[in-house]
Amino acid sequence: MAILNADELDIISHSAEQTMRLGSRLGALLQAGDVVCLSGDMGAGKTVFTAGIGQGWGARNPVTSPTYNLIHQHERARDDLKLYHLDCYRLRDANDAETIGLDDILEGEGVIVFEWPERIASALPDARLWVELRVTDVTRRNLIFSGQGARYKDLIVALREKAYGV
Ligand SMILES: Nc1ncnc2c1ncn2[C@@H]1O[C@H](COP(=O)(O)OP(=O)(O)O)[C@@H](O)[C@H]1O
Ligand SMILES: [Mg+2]
């Protein structure tokens, strides 16, 4: 682990399982209204990481890729909260985001996870957790967490504690 600055967390994952576990730790920390943006190339591990988020958050059903549906809605048993998982790969711009009802989702209480968030950059809230996933080897990924807004800086501190106990 390298701490670039207090607000950033830089982690190497050596396997899909490790990426999933990391996602799961984050998922357990997420609260109503949290926004998570996963940026990285095809195959970087965005969906694997989100599957972990779903697990840690308590989603009733396993998270699968929303590539064809653009958006998947997940529920959990413990409360009425929703987890929205969006794949923006095929959206051209922020206007397209509106056609899938993004404004309503952003106004709601759910947790939102975006894959390909840069496709709809201007439609994203300023306050968000940003995760950059980079392929550094066949089974190695570099995940860099940064947060805009107080909530996400706190979230990174909490995630660091959970991931490393420091
Ligand atoms: N360390 C790793 N973390 C995540 N995925 C990995 C890792 N090593 C290998 N993989 C593989 O890379 C692929 C990532 O796919 P996926 O999560 O669908 O990517 P994306 O959603 O970013 O396009 C999976 O086949 C997974 O098994
Ligand atoms: Mg994906």
Side-chain angles (χ1 to χ4, degrees):
M1 171 183 57
I3 301 175
L4 302 180
N5 62 56
D7 298 335
E8 254 183 36
L9 181 58
D10 184 328
I11 295 179
I12 301 288
S13 161
H14 296 274
S15 66
E17 293 70 29
Q18 196 182 342
T19 298
M20 189 145 165
R21 203 155 52 237
L22 194 56
S24 164
R25 291 193 165 123
L26 175 63
L29 294 168
L30 292 175
Q31 297 172 357
D34 280 346
V35 174
V36 179
C37 297
L38 305 178
S39 173
D41 288 340
M42 201 90 71
K46 302 180 293 298
T47 300
V48 166
F49 188 75
T50 311
I53 290 179
Q55 210 175 58
W57 180 79
R60 244 188 262 271
N61 299 309
V63 168
T64 56
S65 180
T67 303
Y68 299 103
N69 308 85
L70 304 179
I71 176 161
H72 282 170
Q73 179 183 311
H74 294 275
E75 277 106 37
R76 63 182 179 184
R78 124 164 67 114
D79 54 30
D80 286 336
L81 266 194
K82 307 276 187 262
L83 169 70
Y84 299 98
H85 179 198
L86 283 79
D87 189 329
C88 303
Y89 184 71
R90 291 190 295 162
L91 302 182
R92 280 160 308 164
D93 54 31
N95 289 333
D96 272 2
E98 193 32 50
T99 65
I100 58 167
L102 182 61
D103 276 359
D104 290 340
I105 294 170
L106 285 169
E107 275 169 27
E109 291 243 285
V111 167
I112 315 176
V113 178
F114 291 99
E115 296 191 33
W116 297 101
E118 45 285 288
R119 290 280 197 273
I120 55 156
S122 67
L124 298 171
D126 289 335
R128 70 236 176 164
L129 181 70
W130 193 272
V131 189
E132 200 76 47
L133 297 96
R134 295 185 193 139
V135 179
T136 53
D137 204 341
V138 190
T139 59
R140 198 168 61 187
R141 304 290 186 267
N142 185 195
L143 289 87
I144 301 169
F145 298 78
S146 57
Q148 278 209 58
R151 160 68 186 144
Y152 299 101
K153 297 192 192 308
D154 289 350
L155 193 52
I156 287 174
V157 170
L159 182 61
R160 180 183 296 135
E161 281 171 4
K162 263 205 161 187
Y164 297 101
V166 293

